[in-house]
Amino acid sequence: LPRLTFAHGGSGIVINAATLNAMFPSIPECVTKYSSCWAGDIQVAFCLNDLGIRSKQYNDGKGYEKHFTPFAPSLSLADQRYATRWQTTEQPITFHQVPLHELSLLSQFDAMCRREHTNVVYSKLLHHLTSNGLKFPFTAHK
């Protein structure tokens, strides 16, 4: 299988109508061809690659890619690669594989920020999570 840049799915992938129209007829065949791949977002990249459509790596020079966290908040805090973010006023863009109880806390915090017309930032989110009983596993990954 080729090495590809792909759109991380999480809650969904947005593609334009031309890409969807090109991809749609080949979806059944593609699902079968790449059924051994566990990640749906990577399957989509393979299918698009078969059609000659490739994603470009996103890098606008502002460093937004550092705000994409591949873990739930509790796991990202315990991971040394992400732990320092929680002391900043940077804005998280995404978390992945978030357990329901953490998702509920994230939703509450987002609603509070919208009511107060403030941004979601790591340091305030950390305070909200820990103030509402979330315990973090402090076993850092290396």
Side-chain angles (χ1 to χ4, degrees), residues 29-61:
E29 176 186 337
C30 194
V31 168
T32 301
K33 182 176 180 181
Y34 296 112
S35 64
S36 64
C37 178
W38 63 271
D41 44 11
I42 297 174
Q43 288 177 344
V44 170
F46 287 143
C47 294
L48 292 173
N49 185 63
D50 287 352
L51 297 169
I53 301 169
R54 291 176 183 75
S55 296
K56 292 182 181 178
Q57 188 167 10
Y58 176 74
N59 184 352
D60 67 352

Side-chain angles (χ1 to χ4, degrees), residues 21-129:
N21 286 333
M23 184 181 177
F24 188 77
S26 63
I27 289 174
E29 176 186 337
C30 194
V31 168
T32 301
K33 182 176 180 181
Y34 296 112
S35 64
S36 64
C37 178
W38 63 271
D41 44 11
I42 297 174
Q43 288 177 344
V44 170
F46 287 143
C47 294
L48 292 173
N49 185 63
D50 287 352
L51 297 169
I53 301 169
R54 291 176 183 75
S55 296
K56 292 182 181 178
Q57 188 167 10
Y58 176 74
N59 184 352
D60 67 352
K62 295 180 183 178
Y64 286 123
E65 68 280 354
K66 70 181 178 181
H67 302 285
F68 289 84
T69 308
F71 306 117
S74 57
L75 292 176
S76 68
L77 183 65
D79 191 306
Q80 290 176 346
R81 295 169 292 179
Y82 306 100
T84 57
R85 292 182 190 174
W86 292 95
Q87 309 307 315
T88 71
T89 57
E90 294 176 355
Q91 295 177 274
I93 293 175
T94 186
F95 295 103
H96 289 265
Q97 301 175 348
V98 180
L100 188 56
H101 67 283
E102 289 184 48
L103 188 58
S104 177
L105 292 173
L106 290 171
S107 180
Q108 290 170 4
F109 185 68
D110 179 62
M112 181 182 72
C113 288
R114 281 185 281 123
R115 280 192 308 273
E116 296 175 359
H117 304 286
T118 60
N119 292 325
V120 172
V121 298
Y122 282 106
S123 58
K124 290 181 181 179
L125 177 57
L126 173 61
H127 177 18
H128 175 77
L129 295 173

